[in-house]
Amino acid sequence: QVHVAESGGGLVQAGGSLRLSCVVAGRTYSSDAGGWFRQAPGKEREFIGSISRSSGSTKYADSVKGRFTITRDNANDMVYLQMNSLKPEDTAVYYCAAGRRWLHTAESDYVNWGQGPQVTVST
């Protein structure tokens, strides 16, 4: 059993920053990937980035590359999403998920999901 839960989120002005935290705990030996997805109103859930919890290697969607950074703290079973230079179009529910391989970007590749905090970016 793998437990995934996010914290953080909220309201921020355009150009601001926000950090989301995610605990990935339990039987995580087969869940090397910590992935982040988001779902904006009226849109499908999309992949925004992932990290290998063992190597620290990362992958990002073009829409967030250079603005968002994913890191991990294995000692505390944590994965973080640092979001800078936020734009109104970043408004969405953000999900953390655990999966086998960090290079995978499809929802179906991630087995365990958190509830998803809301992030709202105002103009």
Side-chain angles (χ1 to χ4, degrees):
Q1 188 85 12
V2 177
H3 172 67
V4 178
E6 308 94 337
S7 59
L11 176 65
V12 63
Q13 285 191 326
S17 298
L18 205 60
R19 189 177 83 157
L20 302 181
S21 302
C22 175
V23 58
V24 181
R27 295 185 174 183
T28 60
Y29 48 85
S30 62
S31 299
D32 182 59
W36 287 95
F37 293 74
R38 67 183 180 187
Q39 187 167 21
K43 295 187 176 181
E44 293 187 352
R45 190 153 54 183
E46 65 170 342
F47 170 86
I48 56 174
S50 60
I51 188 167
S52 165
R53 295 169 65 240
S54 58
S55 71
S57 298
T58 54
K59 178 181 178 70
Y60 298 97
D62 288 343
S63 58
V64 304
K65 199 173 292 183
R67 299 188 300 123
F68 290 13
T69 303
I70 300 173
T71 57
R72 94 287 195 210
D73 174 1
N74 289 341
N76 293 294
D77 295 329
M78 298 297 294
V79 175
Y80 301 100
L81 177 64
Q82 177 67 43
M83 303 182 289
N84 298 329
S85 302
L86 282 161
K87 307 173 182 179
E89 50 264 44
D90 293 318
T91 294
V93 175
Y94 282 72
Y95 298 91
C96 178
R100 286 186 174 272
R101 302 185 189 279
W102 65 279
L103 283 172
H104 290 176
T105 62
E107 285 187 58
S108 57
D109 293 320
Y110 290 82
V111 178
N112 304 100
W113 292 77
Q115 293 298 309
Q118 173 72 43
V119 172
T120 302
V121 184
S122 64
T123 54

